[in-house]
Amino acid sequence: MSIHSVKRSQCHLAWDNSIPPVLTVESGSLVSVSCLDASNGQINSTSAVSAISSLVFSQLDQVNGPIYITSALPGDTLQIDVISIEPADWGWTGLIPGFGLLADDEEFKDPHLRIWKLDKERGVAVFDETKGIKVPLRPFAGEMGVAPGEKGAFSTIPPYKTGGNLDTKYLEAGATLFLPIEVEGALFSIGDGHAAQGDGEVCGTAIETPMEVTIRLTVRKDRPYTTTPHFYTSPKVKRISPTSDSNSGTDQLQAEEQYYGTTGVGPDPREAAREATRNMITYLNVQHGIDRVDAYMLCSVAGDLRMHEVVDMPNYVVGMMLPKSVFPSI
């Protein structure tokens, strides 16, 4: 199967269903996208802190696309399989005045900028060489979304029920995202490369980086319960070093837990958590025939609520994540 491509220059700065698509593909197609960082190129590997103060906010968080998928209709679900993500060899993290979870704290009112060197061979970004502090690279796209059904231009800064600035670190290579489609063709866009980020992205920036990403876009007609973003995490393995009393002298590979996640998106974090929980209950009821009361109890004893995104106002993203090992057929 051939791979379609979207260039860095093929981008836009609002979610708007009137923006013409830059590419039309059939369901199941592979698309390679070249994305700048969230600053839209205003910050580079040699930038000084003055770049933070001079940021043009109207140019931030551009997304590449939109991509029109034939056969996609309102009420369908778009499945996005993240095939690969390749970050650049550098990234940046900034404190932007007036932005972030602690924006009103006096000690964080001044701009700051950290330029990172990304050691992709070792899979880390070094935070402090002298103290040995390093951050594992876990690249993902902060922005993945489809056009809203409502007419008008909507900022790319917040997340929405149709996706957008989800900033959910679990959407790395190998993961699958499901988005509710509200317009014909879906009009999917992607951007905001992150080399690493913690849950919540509390200071308002991750390790922001340009990226090359390949995705598969598939229209699903069998998921009417997808009313907010849902996702599968990547089926990853981790390397376990042998202990001193182990009979093996070599590292062992161990599968990491895989999760199915539902989300709640809105301006009230408690209501977003309630929505994420209700969406998991509905998923378990419709997809797996579990009584809703039993599903609610299963969420309580096995599900994890996570604050995926807490800084891109006015909306929060809260996830309910259920381990696959609890229910092997998930």
Side-chain angles (χ1 to χ4, degrees):
M1 177 182 293
S2 61
I3 300 180
H4 304 271
S5 63
V6 175
K7 301 175 182 178
R8 287 189 175 185
S9 59
Q10 295 175 304
C11 61
H12 55 99
L13 289 158
W15 298 104
D16 186 338
N17 61 35
S18 70
I19 297 175
V22 301
L23 179 67
T24 297
V25 301
E26 295 182 356
S27 176
S29 294
L30 289 171
V31 182
S32 177
V33 188
S34 182
C35 305
L36 277 172
D37 67 290
S39 79
N40 208 351
Q42 296 181 77
I43 296 175
N44 59 49
S45 60
T46 62
S47 291
V49 68
S50 58
I52 295 291
S53 300
S54 63
L55 282 173
V56 179
F57 278 78
S58 62
Q59 298 299 308
L60 300 181
D61 274 355
Q62 78 293 343
V63 287
N64 291 74
I67 302 168
Y68 185 103
I69 302 96
T70 59
S71 78
L73 297 171
D76 295 342
T77 296
L78 184 63
Q79 176 177 321
I80 303 100
D81 296 304
V82 183
I83 306 302
S84 65
I85 301 178
E86 183 67 26
D89 60 3
W90 68 278
W92 65 272
T93 302
L95 292 188
I96 302 173
F99 195 56
L101 189 62
L102 305 180
D104 54 353
D105 284 22
E106 279 297 309
E107 64 179 312
F108 303 119
K109 64 181 178 61
D110 295 325
H112 291 272
L113 177 66
R114 173 185 288 270
I115 301 293
W116 302 78
K117 180 179 179 181
L118 307 185
D119 186 339
K120 293 189 284 186
E121 185 174 339
R122 290 195 295 159
V124 298
V126 176
F127 181 79
D128 189 320
E129 193 75 67
T130 60
K131 296 180 180 178
I133 301 173
K134 53 188 180 294
V135 178
L137 299 183
R138 193 171 181 173
F140 70 98
E143 294 253 15
M144 287 194 279
V146 294
E150 186 177 352
K151 291 187 180 298
F154 299 87
S155 170
T156 55
I157 300 296
Y160 304 95
K161 295 184 188 301
T162 50
N165 202 11
L166 297 173
D167 284 338
T168 298
K169 70 177 186 180
Y170 306 99
L171 301 179
E172 59 195 316
T176 298
L177 175 65
F178 302 94
L179 296 174
I181 295 173
E182 294 188 355
V183 299
E184 182 179 332
L187 298 177
F188 173 80
S189 298
I190 185 171
D192 189 21
H194 291 174
Q197 182 208 293
D199 273 321
E201 195 188 31
V202 294
C203 86
T205 55
I207 299 182
E208 311 288 340
T209 183
M211 68 178 183
E212 306 292 325
V213 57
T214 299
I215 50 177
R216 179 182 289 109
L217 301 174
T218 305
V219 176
R220 298 285 299 269
K221 306 284 185 179
D222 59 343
R223 295 178 58 93
Y225 49 82
T226 307
T227 57
T228 63
H230 289 206
F231 59 90
Y232 279 116
T233 63
S234 173
K236 297 176 64 177
V237 295
K238 59 184 176 181
R239 190 174 297 277
I240 306 298
S241 298
T243 59
S244 58
D245 58 352
S246 171
N247 293 326
S248 172
T250 59
D251 291 356
Q252 302 295 311
L253 295 180
Q254 182 181 88
E256 290 189 14
E257 184 69 81
Q258 190 177 10
Y259 292 84
Y260 184 84
T262 56
T263 65
V265 183
D268 183 327
R270 184 172 186 273
E271 286 305 311
R274 285 157 59 89
E275 181 180 44
T277 302
R278 291 191 184 102
N279 288 338
M280 182 63 80
I281 291 168
T282 298
Y283 168 77
L284 292 171
N285 175 248
V286 174
Q287 190 67 26
H288 299 285
I290 300 177
D291 176 85
R292 291 185 64 87
V293 171
D294 286 340
Y296 185 23
M297 290 190 285
L298 183 60
C299 287
S300 187
V301 300
D304 294 322
L305 278 174
R306 307 269 177 95
M307 295 288 288
H308 295 320
E309 190 283 310
V310 300
V311 295
D312 296 318
M313 298 299 97
N315 293 332
Y316 299 83
V317 180
V318 179
M320 165 63 73
M321 297 175 64
L322 190 69
K324 183 176 180 180
S325 61
V326 170
F327 200 88
S329 64
I330 287 182

